[in-house]
Short mmCIF file of all heavy atoms in Angstrom, two decimals:
data_model
loop_
_atom_site.label_atom_id
_atom_site.label_comp_id
_atom_site.label_asym_id
_atom_site.label_seq_id
_atom_site.Cartn_x
_atom_site.Cartn_y
_atom_site.Cartn_z
N MET A 1 -17.74 -6.04 1.70
CA MET A 1 -16.56 -6.17 0.82
C MET A 1 -15.72 -7.36 1.43
O MET A 1 -15.38 -7.41 2.62
CB MET A 1 -15.73 -4.90 0.90
CG MET A 1 -14.86 -4.65 -0.27
SD MET A 1 -13.99 -3.13 -0.14
CE MET A 1 -15.38 -1.93 -0.49
N PRO A 2 -15.36 -8.30 0.59
CA PRO A 2 -14.44 -9.40 0.99
C PRO A 2 -13.13 -8.94 1.44
O PRO A 2 -12.53 -8.02 1.02
CB PRO A 2 -14.47 -10.35 -0.10
CG PRO A 2 -14.74 -9.42 -1.27
CD PRO A 2 -15.55 -8.32 -0.88
N MET A 3 -12.56 -9.67 2.48
CA MET A 3 -11.22 -9.44 2.90
C MET A 3 -10.32 -10.51 2.39
O MET A 3 -10.61 -11.67 2.27
CB MET A 3 -11.27 -9.60 4.47
CG MET A 3 -12.28 -8.80 5.14
SD MET A 3 -11.90 -6.95 5.02
CE MET A 3 -10.55 -6.93 6.20
N TYR A 4 -9.18 -9.99 2.03
CA TYR A 4 -8.04 -10.84 1.37
C TYR A 4 -6.89 -10.64 2.24
O TYR A 4 -6.48 -9.53 2.66
CB TYR A 4 -7.82 -10.54 0.00
CG TYR A 4 -9.05 -10.73 -0.87
CD1 TYR A 4 -9.80 -9.63 -1.14
CD2 TYR A 4 -9.22 -11.92 -1.41
CE1 TYR A 4 -10.94 -9.82 -2.04
CE2 TYR A 4 -10.32 -12.09 -2.27
CZ TYR A 4 -11.18 -11.07 -2.56
OH TYR A 4 -12.26 -11.17 -3.30
N GLU A 5 -6.08 -11.75 2.43
CA GLU A 5 -4.85 -11.57 3.17
C GLU A 5 -3.65 -11.71 2.15
O GLU A 5 -3.65 -12.51 1.30
CB GLU A 5 -4.65 -12.77 4.17
CG GLU A 5 -5.55 -12.60 5.37
CD GLU A 5 -5.32 -13.69 6.41
OE1 GLU A 5 -4.15 -13.77 6.90
OE2 GLU A 5 -6.22 -14.46 6.74
N TYR A 6 -2.80 -10.77 2.33
CA TYR A 6 -1.69 -10.68 1.38
C TYR A 6 -0.37 -10.54 2.21
O TYR A 6 -0.34 -9.97 3.32
CB TYR A 6 -1.73 -9.40 0.54
CG TYR A 6 -2.78 -9.53 -0.63
CD1 TYR A 6 -4.11 -9.26 -0.45
CD2 TYR A 6 -2.37 -10.00 -1.80
CE1 TYR A 6 -4.92 -9.42 -1.50
CE2 TYR A 6 -3.22 -10.12 -2.98
CZ TYR A 6 -4.55 -9.86 -2.68
OH TYR A 6 -5.35 -10.00 -3.78
N LYS A 7 0.65 -11.03 1.53
CA LYS A 7 1.99 -10.81 2.17
C LYS A 7 2.74 -10.10 1.10
O LYS A 7 2.84 -10.33 -0.04
CB LYS A 7 2.64 -12.11 2.44
CG LYS A 7 4.14 -11.96 3.10
CD LYS A 7 4.63 -13.27 3.52
CE LYS A 7 5.91 -13.05 4.23
NZ LYS A 7 6.39 -14.34 4.87
N CYS A 8 3.52 -9.02 1.61
CA CYS A 8 4.37 -8.18 0.70
C CYS A 8 5.72 -8.90 0.42
O CYS A 8 6.31 -9.37 1.30
CB CYS A 8 4.58 -6.85 1.43
SG CYS A 8 5.68 -5.78 0.35
N LEU A 9 5.98 -9.05 -0.80
CA LEU A 9 7.28 -9.71 -1.19
C LEU A 9 8.39 -8.76 -1.02
O LEU A 9 9.61 -9.22 -1.11
CB LEU A 9 7.13 -10.15 -2.64
CG LEU A 9 6.11 -11.20 -2.91
CD1 LEU A 9 6.08 -11.58 -4.34
CD2 LEU A 9 6.26 -12.48 -2.07
N ASP A 10 8.22 -7.62 -0.80
CA ASP A 10 9.28 -6.56 -0.67
C ASP A 10 9.67 -6.36 0.82
O ASP A 10 10.83 -6.43 1.21
CB ASP A 10 8.97 -5.30 -1.40
CG ASP A 10 9.15 -5.34 -2.85
OD1 ASP A 10 9.93 -6.27 -3.27
OD2 ASP A 10 8.73 -4.51 -3.64
N CYS A 11 8.68 -6.08 1.64
CA CYS A 11 9.03 -5.81 3.02
C CYS A 11 8.56 -6.96 3.97
O CYS A 11 8.91 -7.02 5.13
CB CYS A 11 8.34 -4.52 3.51
SG CYS A 11 6.58 -4.63 3.68
N GLY A 12 7.91 -7.97 3.46
CA GLY A 12 7.61 -9.17 4.17
C GLY A 12 6.47 -9.01 5.09
O GLY A 12 6.14 -9.93 5.87
N LYS A 13 5.77 -7.87 5.04
CA LYS A 13 4.68 -7.71 6.03
C LYS A 13 3.44 -8.23 5.48
O LYS A 13 3.21 -8.30 4.24
CB LYS A 13 4.50 -6.17 6.38
CG LYS A 13 5.58 -5.60 7.12
CD LYS A 13 5.23 -4.28 7.83
CE LYS A 13 6.29 -3.83 8.69
NZ LYS A 13 6.00 -2.50 9.24
N GLU A 14 2.62 -8.77 6.48
CA GLU A 14 1.26 -9.44 6.05
C GLU A 14 0.18 -8.24 6.28
O GLU A 14 0.30 -7.48 7.21
CB GLU A 14 0.95 -10.64 6.76
CG GLU A 14 1.91 -11.72 6.44
CD GLU A 14 1.70 -12.95 7.20
OE1 GLU A 14 0.63 -13.08 7.84
OE2 GLU A 14 2.53 -13.90 7.08
N ALA A 15 -0.81 -8.22 5.34
CA ALA A 15 -1.85 -7.33 5.49
C ALA A 15 -3.17 -7.97 5.14
O ALA A 15 -3.20 -8.73 4.14
CB ALA A 15 -1.57 -6.07 4.64
N THR A 16 -4.14 -7.64 5.82
CA THR A 16 -5.55 -7.94 5.49
C THR A 16 -6.14 -6.84 4.74
O THR A 16 -6.34 -5.73 5.45
CB THR A 16 -6.29 -8.42 6.76
OG1 THR A 16 -5.55 -9.49 7.32
CG2 THR A 16 -7.62 -8.94 6.33
N LEU A 17 -6.59 -6.94 3.61
CA LEU A 17 -7.09 -5.83 2.87
C LEU A 17 -8.55 -6.13 2.35
O LEU A 17 -8.90 -7.23 2.02
CB LEU A 17 -6.21 -5.62 1.60
CG LEU A 17 -4.75 -5.33 1.87
CD1 LEU A 17 -4.03 -5.32 0.51
CD2 LEU A 17 -4.48 -4.11 2.72
N ALA A 18 -9.34 -5.17 2.49
CA ALA A 18 -10.70 -5.21 1.96
C ALA A 18 -10.65 -4.68 0.59
O ALA A 18 -10.42 -3.59 0.34
CB ALA A 18 -11.67 -4.41 2.85
N LEU A 19 -11.01 -5.57 -0.39
CA LEU A 19 -10.86 -5.25 -1.77
C LEU A 19 -12.22 -5.44 -2.39
O LEU A 19 -13.00 -6.34 -2.14
CB LEU A 19 -9.80 -6.14 -2.55
CG LEU A 19 -8.41 -6.01 -1.99
CD1 LEU A 19 -7.54 -6.98 -2.71
CD2 LEU A 19 -7.72 -4.63 -2.23
N THR A 20 -12.58 -4.66 -3.41
CA THR A 20 -13.59 -5.00 -4.24
C THR A 20 -13.23 -6.18 -5.16
O THR A 20 -11.98 -6.31 -5.41
CB THR A 20 -14.07 -3.71 -5.13
OG1 THR A 20 -12.96 -3.46 -6.04
CG2 THR A 20 -14.37 -2.62 -4.34
N LEU A 21 -14.13 -6.84 -5.69
CA LEU A 21 -13.78 -7.91 -6.58
C LEU A 21 -13.01 -7.35 -7.83
O LEU A 21 -12.07 -8.02 -8.40
CB LEU A 21 -15.07 -8.60 -7.15
CG LEU A 21 -15.61 -9.58 -6.06
CD1 LEU A 21 -16.94 -10.17 -6.68
CD2 LEU A 21 -14.65 -10.65 -5.68
N LYS A 22 -13.28 -6.26 -8.24
CA LYS A 22 -12.58 -5.60 -9.36
C LYS A 22 -11.19 -5.31 -9.09
O LYS A 22 -10.32 -5.70 -9.84
CB LYS A 22 -13.37 -4.27 -9.73
CG LYS A 22 -12.86 -3.50 -10.83
CD LYS A 22 -13.79 -2.41 -11.37
CE LYS A 22 -13.18 -1.46 -12.36
NZ LYS A 22 -12.28 -0.58 -11.75
N ASP A 23 -10.97 -4.83 -7.89
CA ASP A 23 -9.60 -4.61 -7.46
C ASP A 23 -8.82 -5.88 -7.30
O ASP A 23 -7.69 -5.99 -7.69
CB ASP A 23 -9.50 -3.83 -6.08
CG ASP A 23 -9.84 -2.35 -6.25
OD1 ASP A 23 -9.87 -1.87 -7.47
OD2 ASP A 23 -10.07 -1.72 -5.25
N HIS A 24 -9.45 -6.87 -6.76
CA HIS A 24 -8.79 -8.24 -6.58
C HIS A 24 -8.52 -8.76 -7.91
O HIS A 24 -7.31 -9.30 -8.11
CB HIS A 24 -9.74 -9.09 -5.77
CG HIS A 24 -9.22 -10.42 -5.63
ND1 HIS A 24 -9.72 -11.57 -6.17
CD2 HIS A 24 -8.14 -10.83 -4.78
CE1 HIS A 24 -8.97 -12.65 -5.79
NE2 HIS A 24 -8.15 -12.24 -5.00
N ASP A 25 -9.48 -8.76 -8.89
CA ASP A 25 -9.26 -9.36 -10.11
C ASP A 25 -8.12 -8.69 -10.94
O ASP A 25 -7.39 -9.35 -11.71
CB ASP A 25 -10.51 -9.35 -10.91
CG ASP A 25 -11.52 -10.45 -10.39
OD1 ASP A 25 -11.00 -11.26 -9.59
OD2 ASP A 25 -12.67 -10.41 -10.79
N SER A 26 -8.13 -7.36 -10.76
CA SER A 26 -7.17 -6.68 -11.59
C SER A 26 -5.82 -6.63 -10.88
O SER A 26 -4.76 -6.19 -11.51
CB SER A 26 -7.60 -5.19 -11.73
OG SER A 26 -7.69 -4.56 -10.58
N GLY A 27 -5.60 -7.21 -9.71
CA GLY A 27 -4.39 -7.31 -9.04
C GLY A 27 -3.89 -5.89 -8.54
O GLY A 27 -2.62 -5.71 -8.35
N ALA A 28 -4.81 -5.04 -8.37
CA ALA A 28 -4.44 -3.58 -7.86
C ALA A 28 -4.34 -3.69 -6.37
O ALA A 28 -5.08 -3.06 -5.73
CB ALA A 28 -5.49 -2.67 -8.41
N VAL A 29 -3.30 -4.34 -5.93
CA VAL A 29 -3.04 -4.43 -4.54
C VAL A 29 -1.75 -3.77 -4.17
O VAL A 29 -0.72 -4.04 -4.80
CB VAL A 29 -2.98 -6.00 -4.08
CG1 VAL A 29 -2.85 -6.12 -2.58
CG2 VAL A 29 -4.21 -6.52 -4.54
N THR A 30 -1.73 -2.86 -3.21
CA THR A 30 -0.64 -2.10 -2.82
C THR A 30 -0.31 -2.36 -1.40
O THR A 30 -1.20 -2.36 -0.53
CB THR A 30 -0.87 -0.60 -3.07
OG1 THR A 30 -1.11 -0.49 -4.36
CG2 THR A 30 0.44 0.01 -2.81
N CYS A 31 0.98 -2.60 -1.03
CA CYS A 31 1.37 -2.84 0.28
C CYS A 31 1.09 -1.56 1.10
O CYS A 31 1.65 -0.48 0.73
CB CYS A 31 2.83 -3.16 0.35
SG CYS A 31 3.41 -3.31 2.16
N PRO A 32 0.37 -1.73 2.26
CA PRO A 32 0.10 -0.39 3.08
C PRO A 32 1.36 0.09 3.70
O PRO A 32 1.39 1.22 4.22
CB PRO A 32 -0.93 -0.86 4.06
CG PRO A 32 -0.85 -2.41 4.09
CD PRO A 32 -0.32 -2.86 2.84
N SER A 33 2.41 -0.75 3.76
CA SER A 33 3.60 -0.31 4.54
C SER A 33 4.62 0.33 3.59
O SER A 33 5.08 1.37 3.90
CB SER A 33 4.29 -1.57 5.23
OG SER A 33 3.41 -2.04 6.19
N CYS A 34 4.87 -0.33 2.44
CA CYS A 34 5.90 0.17 1.57
C CYS A 34 5.50 0.61 0.18
O CYS A 34 6.31 0.96 -0.60
CB CYS A 34 7.02 -0.77 1.48
SG CYS A 34 6.68 -2.28 0.56
N LYS A 35 4.11 0.40 -0.03
CA LYS A 35 3.49 0.80 -1.34
C LYS A 35 3.96 -0.12 -2.48
O LYS A 35 3.71 0.26 -3.61
CB LYS A 35 3.92 2.29 -1.64
CG LYS A 35 3.54 3.25 -0.59
CD LYS A 35 2.16 3.19 -0.17
CE LYS A 35 1.95 4.25 0.96
NZ LYS A 35 0.60 4.12 1.66
N SER A 36 4.65 -1.19 -2.14
CA SER A 36 4.92 -2.21 -3.24
C SER A 36 3.78 -2.78 -3.76
O SER A 36 2.70 -3.06 -3.11
CB SER A 36 5.91 -3.19 -2.65
OG SER A 36 6.02 -4.27 -3.57
N LYS A 37 3.79 -3.14 -5.04
CA LYS A 37 2.62 -3.83 -5.69
C LYS A 37 2.90 -5.30 -5.85
O LYS A 37 2.19 -6.04 -6.45
CB LYS A 37 2.44 -3.25 -6.98
CG LYS A 37 1.76 -1.84 -6.92
CD LYS A 37 1.32 -1.23 -8.28
CE LYS A 37 0.60 0.05 -7.96
NZ LYS A 37 0.18 0.70 -9.17
N ARG A 38 4.12 -5.74 -5.22
CA ARG A 38 4.42 -7.14 -5.35
C ARG A 38 3.83 -7.86 -4.04
O ARG A 38 4.53 -8.13 -3.14
CB ARG A 38 5.99 -7.28 -5.26
CG ARG A 38 6.57 -6.74 -6.59
CD ARG A 38 8.09 -6.82 -6.56
NE ARG A 38 8.50 -8.18 -6.45
CZ ARG A 38 9.55 -8.70 -5.72
NH1 ARG A 38 10.24 -7.85 -5.06
NH2 ARG A 38 9.90 -9.92 -5.76
N MET A 39 2.54 -8.04 -4.13
CA MET A 39 1.85 -8.71 -3.13
C MET A 39 1.48 -10.09 -3.41
O MET A 39 0.92 -10.37 -4.55
CB MET A 39 0.56 -7.86 -2.72
CG MET A 39 0.91 -6.42 -2.31
SD MET A 39 1.62 -6.40 -0.69
CE MET A 39 0.30 -6.53 0.30
N GLU A 40 1.73 -10.99 -2.54
CA GLU A 40 1.34 -12.37 -2.78
C GLU A 40 0.12 -12.71 -1.90
O GLU A 40 0.11 -12.48 -0.64
CB GLU A 40 2.43 -13.30 -2.42
CG GLU A 40 2.23 -14.77 -2.52
CD GLU A 40 3.35 -15.66 -2.00
OE1 GLU A 40 3.61 -15.68 -0.74
OE2 GLU A 40 4.12 -16.12 -2.86
N GLN A 41 -1.01 -13.27 -2.54
CA GLN A 41 -2.07 -13.56 -1.69
C GLN A 41 -1.87 -14.80 -0.87
O GLN A 41 -1.41 -15.90 -1.42
CB GLN A 41 -3.38 -13.77 -2.62
CG GLN A 41 -4.55 -13.93 -1.79
CD GLN A 41 -5.85 -13.91 -2.62
OE1 GLN A 41 -5.82 -13.93 -3.83
NE2 GLN A 41 -7.00 -13.98 -2.01
N LEU A 42 -2.32 -14.81 0.38
CA LEU A 42 -2.18 -15.86 1.29
C LEU A 42 -3.54 -16.66 1.20
O LEU A 42 -4.54 -16.19 0.94
CB LEU A 42 -1.89 -15.42 2.74
CG LEU A 42 -0.67 -14.61 2.92
CD1 LEU A 42 -0.57 -14.14 4.29
CD2 LEU A 42 0.66 -15.44 2.47
N ILE A 43 -3.46 -17.99 1.57
CA ILE A 43 -4.60 -18.71 1.69
C ILE A 43 -5.50 -18.18 2.83
O ILE A 43 -5.01 -18.08 3.91
CB ILE A 43 -4.44 -20.26 1.85
CG1 ILE A 43 -3.50 -20.72 0.75
CG2 ILE A 43 -5.64 -20.94 2.04
CD1 ILE A 43 -4.10 -20.60 -0.56
N SER A 44 -6.62 -17.72 2.54
CA SER A 44 -7.40 -17.01 3.48
C SER A 44 -7.97 -17.88 4.66
O SER A 44 -8.20 -19.03 4.40
CB SER A 44 -8.59 -16.24 2.78
OG SER A 44 -9.46 -15.73 3.74
N SER A 45 -8.10 -17.21 5.79
CA SER A 45 -8.73 -17.95 6.84
C SER A 45 -10.21 -18.31 6.62
O SER A 45 -10.84 -18.89 7.41
CB SER A 45 -8.52 -17.23 8.15
OG SER A 45 -8.97 -15.93 7.96
N VAL A 46 -10.66 -17.75 5.53
CA VAL A 46 -12.08 -18.05 5.11
C VAL A 46 -12.27 -19.56 5.14
O VAL A 46 -13.38 -20.08 5.48
CB VAL A 46 -12.38 -17.45 3.78
CG1 VAL A 46 -13.78 -17.84 3.36
CG2 VAL A 46 -12.39 -15.90 3.93
N MET A 47 -11.25 -20.27 4.69
CA MET A 47 -11.35 -21.72 4.62
C MET A 47 -11.68 -22.27 5.99
O MET A 47 -12.52 -23.26 6.00
CB MET A 47 -9.97 -22.25 4.14
CG MET A 47 -9.48 -21.71 2.84
SD MET A 47 -10.20 -22.45 1.39
CE MET A 47 -9.40 -24.05 1.39
N ALA A 48 -11.22 -21.75 6.97
CA ALA A 48 -11.50 -22.45 8.35
C ALA A 48 -12.89 -22.10 8.84
O ALA A 48 -13.33 -22.69 9.80
CB ALA A 48 -10.58 -21.65 9.29
N LYS A 49 -13.60 -21.22 8.03
CA LYS A 49 -14.93 -20.96 8.33
C LYS A 49 -15.91 -22.09 8.08
O LYS A 49 -17.01 -22.25 8.73
CB LYS A 49 -15.50 -19.77 7.73
CG LYS A 49 -15.37 -18.57 8.45
CD LYS A 49 -16.06 -17.35 7.68
CE LYS A 49 -15.89 -15.98 8.36
NZ LYS A 49 -16.48 -14.96 7.56
N THR A 50 -15.40 -23.04 7.21
CA THR A 50 -16.37 -24.12 6.75
C THR A 50 -16.87 -24.91 7.98
O THR A 50 -16.00 -25.42 8.81
CB THR A 50 -15.57 -25.07 5.86
OG1 THR A 50 -14.93 -24.30 4.82
CG2 THR A 50 -16.46 -26.10 5.16
N SER A 51 -18.11 -24.98 8.16
CA SER A 51 -18.66 -25.58 9.28
C SER A 51 -18.57 -27.18 9.25
O SER A 51 -18.67 -27.75 8.16
CB SER A 51 -20.10 -25.25 9.47
OG SER A 51 -20.79 -25.60 8.30
N ARG A 52 -18.21 -27.69 10.43
CA ARG A 52 -18.04 -29.16 10.36
C ARG A 52 -19.27 -29.79 11.03
O ARG A 52 -19.78 -29.48 12.09
CB ARG A 52 -16.93 -29.51 11.30
CG ARG A 52 -15.61 -29.55 10.47
CD ARG A 52 -14.43 -30.06 11.34
NE ARG A 52 -13.72 -28.91 12.00
CZ ARG A 52 -12.70 -29.07 12.89
NH1 ARG A 52 -12.52 -30.26 13.38
NH2 ARG A 52 -12.11 -27.96 13.41
N LYS A 53 -19.94 -30.58 10.16
CA LYS A 53 -21.19 -31.07 10.64
C LYS A 53 -21.10 -32.67 10.72
O LYS A 53 -22.02 -33.31 10.45
CB LYS A 53 -22.38 -30.74 9.64
CG LYS A 53 -22.76 -29.26 9.78
CD LYS A 53 -23.94 -29.00 8.84
CE LYS A 53 -24.42 -27.52 8.99
NZ LYS A 53 -25.43 -27.12 8.03
N SER A 54 -20.01 -33.23 11.06
CA SER A 54 -19.85 -34.58 11.08
C SER A 54 -20.46 -35.21 12.38
O SER A 54 -20.72 -34.57 13.30
CB SER A 54 -18.35 -35.02 11.01
OG SER A 54 -17.69 -34.36 12.17
ZN1 LIG B 101 5.65 -3.90 1.66
#
């Protein structure tokens, strides 16, 4: 299951959540701290995984 990083717009906490693609696409993300659904996705560190072959 892919991991997504989110920041809660209500309590300001960041959370790394394992979501199914279905959950991710439907935006069914809930803050584990305050149960808010106003979650903003952060640019994932997955980007940093890109291998450098220069
Ligand atoms: Zn929250």
Side-chain angles (χ1 to χ4, degrees):
M1 204 177 287
M3 305 291 287
Y4 299 93
E5 287 186 63
Y6 282 88
K7 181 172 184 176
C8 176
L9 297 179
D10 280 343
C11 71
K13 290 196 177 179
E14 294 179 12
T16 302
L17 304 174
L19 301 174
T20 63
L21 285 177
K22 183 166 172 280
D23 283 346
H24 177 253
D25 286 348
S26 64
V29 184
T30 304
C31 175
S33 295
C34 70
K35 311 301 182 192
S36 170
K37 289 186 176 173
R38 297 176 61 217
M39 299 290 280
E40 176 184 77
Q41 186 172 7
L42 302 176
I43 302 301
S44 171
S45 53
V46 170
M47 302 281 284
K49 265 188 183 175
T50 311
S51 59
R52 272 185 266 170
K53 286 184 180 175
S54 57

